[in-house]
Each structure stands twice: as C-alpha cells, then as structure tokens.
C-alpha cells in the first residue's frame, strides 16, 4: 500500500488518481488547503495532520505501507517571507516527524515534492540538477533543508528516495473532476482564466522591465498529468530497487513569458484580457526553465503536453466550476 501525504491537494490528488489504477492507496491530509472531493473514491482517506505522531503511528500500525509520497506543504513564496515559522514547522518539522516514524516502522521508500525555488536566481538558460542551490526565500529553504535531511537519512538509515523538483505545475485532469483549486489563488494561469470567465476585472502583469525579450518573467509550465506520470515512474524505480536515491527536475524545458501565457489563454478561450502592467513582485527570478534530461534518460519520462494543452485543460476545469 502507498501512503500519500497531502493527497487532497492540487498535485497530490492528480497523482492519487493515477496511482489507484494499480495500487492500494491511503491518503493523509488535514484539508488545510486540499479538498475532500479531490481524493479519488478508490483511496482510503484519513483526515489528520502529518506532524501529529500519534496519527502517523496509528496509520503505520494499521496499513501495510511500502512507500510514502509526500506532497503536504505550505508553498506560497510571499507568505513564507512574512510567516517563516509556519514554513519551518509545517514543512521541515512535520516532515522530520514523518521520516522518524517511517524509520521506526522500517518504511524506507520516499518520494518528495521539491521545487525550482531551491535554485534561487540561477544564471543559466537551462537549469540542471547540479546547478547551485541558493534559495532566496524561506519556502525554498524549507524544501532544501528536507532534501538535506533525506540525503543524511539515506547514508545513515538506508532510506531510498526520489526528490522531484517541480517547475510551474499547471493544468487539470482530463476527467474534468479535479484541477487547480487554491484559496486564495496566486498562480498566473488560474488567475488569467478566472479573469476571462468574468470573475476578476483584470490580470496584473508583475514587471515589464526584466531582461527578457518582452520584459516579462519567463517560466517553465508543466502539465500536472505529466508531473503525475513522473511520480509513478519514480515509485516503480524505488520499489524495483532500480534506484536508491535520485533528484530530478520536472519541467518542459520550454520557457514562456507572462505575456506569452496571456496570449495563449486568449487564443485557447477566444476571449480578450484586460491587462494591467504593475511593478515587479518581490522575489521573482527573471527566468526559470528546467533541463529534465536526467529523468528522461534514467526513468524514460517525457513531458508530452504543451502549454496549449495545459491551458485548454485548465479552461475546461475552471469553466465547469466557474472559478
Ligand atoms: N504573475 C503575474 N501576475 C499574476 C500572477 C503571477 O504577472 O497575477 C507572474 C509572476 O510574477 C511570475 C509568473 O507570473 O513571473 C508565474 O507566477 P506564479 O505565481 O504562477 O508562479 P511562480 O513562478 O511564482 O511560483 C512557482 C510555484 C512555487 C515555486 C516557484 C519557484 O508556484 O511554488 O514557482 O520559483 F516556489
């Protein structure tokens, strides 16, 4: 059985939907940002906190857990700057409790959701996993601290793990049942689509004076279903002992500027956006684009969905729920 911590959240719920096709799954989620409706009915659901040792102990006693996938985290860069304590407590300390309980019960396979934010402001066009890690905010630092913990636990306790550093996850499940549903929403694509649905009066572009061809920030948008497929491959590699430890970037390898994303949303939806150009948002790196060569070579993963596919799937989801 696979324990998915944070399986009611955006990325976790998409992975659970694929995972339940082949494996028994138990989800632990405190529903602080996730949604009960998003958890596939075929999974067992436990409402609880990952930092609560008693809950974890009960779960490890009750279910024959072979591996853990860990998605539960606070993940807003801006919030992490004003509330770092929340990030070190809910991300770092809670993960330590999880790992400690796993070691106690001899569960030694772990897949961890990390982020492009561990790189800080890289000065390369395509970011590879061996680029220096210099996070510039507490969110990125909290994720990097966990990466260091995993490496130390691998040496000392034979923990087997795959770290997946996501770039900009976006898009929705093809079933139309689940998609990106954050409250409040801060991410570019859902904000544009909510605007185009008439739920917001405009879309703000944060900064037009970056050193990029059109002056707006460049990001690597990756379809959440492509991300989910990478998790299934990573799990297989751990369970079959093909891999003991690995850290992979997950992106498309293609950079799109904020303006290009707005253009694509207009094209896909056939609607015209009202754009407000504002000052830069603090802490935004100019360009973040992944090289995902390593996971392609080692696990045979490929991102197969384009920015247009991402936006079309997100549009179906947002239009169906009107938000
Ligand atoms: N942006 C706008 N207007 C908006 C919202 C966003 O112009 O209303 C811009 C941002 O400035 C940025 C780009 O759109 O240039 C993408 O912003 P998002 O907030 O959608 O995503 P981020 O790149 O800031 O964040 C993502 C993940 C984080 C992760 C980070 C790593 O969501 O979890 O990448 O840098 F930490």
């Amino acid at each position: 059985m696979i324990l998915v911590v944070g399986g009611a959240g955006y990325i976790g719920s998409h992975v659970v939907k694929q995972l339940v096709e082949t494996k028994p799954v138990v989800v632990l989620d405190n529903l602080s940002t996730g949604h009960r409706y998003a958890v596939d009915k075929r999974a067992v659901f436990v409402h609880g906190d990952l930092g609560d040792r008693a809950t974890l102990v009960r779960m490890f006693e009750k279910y024959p857990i072979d591996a853990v996938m860990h998605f539960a985290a606070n993940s807003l860069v801006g919030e992490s700057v004003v509330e770092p304590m929340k990030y070190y407590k809910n991300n770092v300390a809670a993960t330590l409790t999880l790992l400690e309980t796993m070691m106690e019960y001899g569960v030694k396979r772990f897949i961890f959701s990390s982020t492009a934010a561990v790189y800080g402001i890289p000065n390369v066009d395509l970011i590879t996993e061996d680029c220096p890690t210099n996070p510039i905010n507490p969110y990125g630092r909290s994720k990097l601290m966990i990466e260091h913990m995993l490496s130390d636990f691998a040496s000392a306790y034979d923990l087997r793990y795959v770290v997946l550093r996501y770039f900009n996850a976006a898009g929705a499940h093809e079933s139309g049942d689940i998609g990106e549903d954050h409250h409040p929403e801060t991410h570019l694509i859902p904000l544009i689509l909510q605007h185009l649905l008439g739920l917001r009066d405009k879309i703000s572009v944060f900064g037009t004076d970056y050193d990029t061809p059109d002056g707006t920030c460049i990001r690597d948008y990756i379809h959440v279903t492509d991300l989910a497929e990478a998790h299934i491959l990573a799990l297989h590699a751990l369970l079959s002992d093909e891999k003991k430890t690995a850290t992979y970037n997950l992106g498309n390898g293609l950079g799109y500027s904020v303006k290009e994303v707005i253009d694509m949303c207009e094209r896909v939806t056939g609607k015209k956006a009202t754009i407000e150009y504002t000052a830069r948002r603090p802490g935004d790196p100019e360009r973040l684009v992944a090289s995902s060569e390593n996971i392609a070579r080692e696990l045979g993963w490929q991102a197969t969905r384009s920015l247009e596919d991402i936006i079309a799937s997100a549009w179906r989801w947002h239009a169906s729920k009107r938000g």
Side-chain angles (χ1 to χ4, degrees), residues 166-178:
Y166 311 150
F167 282 62
N168 288 60
H173 196 264
E174 61 181 7
S175 64
D177 293 344
I178 51 174

Side-chain angles (χ1 to χ4, degrees), residues 219-294:
R219 292 287 179 277
D220 181 337
Y221 296 88
I222 165 122
H223 199 296
V224 66
T225 304
D226 282 326
L227 280 187
E229 286 169 0
H231 289 77
I232 308 293
L233 291 172
L235 179 66
H236 180 77
L238 285 180
L239 292 176
S240 65
D241 290 328
E242 183 194 324
K243 276 275 156 208
K244 289 194 171 166
T245 64
T247 298
Y248 298 121
N249 286 341
L250 284 179
N252 255 308
L254 295 171
Y256 289 95
S257 73
V258 173
K259 275 193 185 156
E260 286 171 326
V261 174
I262 296 174
D263 287 348
M264 183 67 86
C265 288
E266 290 184 330
R267 233 183 69 201
V268 168
T269 63
K271 292 175 185 290
K272 189 91 196 114
T274 303
I275 303 171
E276 173 192 52
Y277 296 98
T278 67
R280 291 182 178 201
R281 183 172 70 176
D284 271 342
E286 180 166 282
R287 179 187 160 91
L288 287 175
V289 183
S291 160
S292 299
E293 287 284 299
N294 283 346

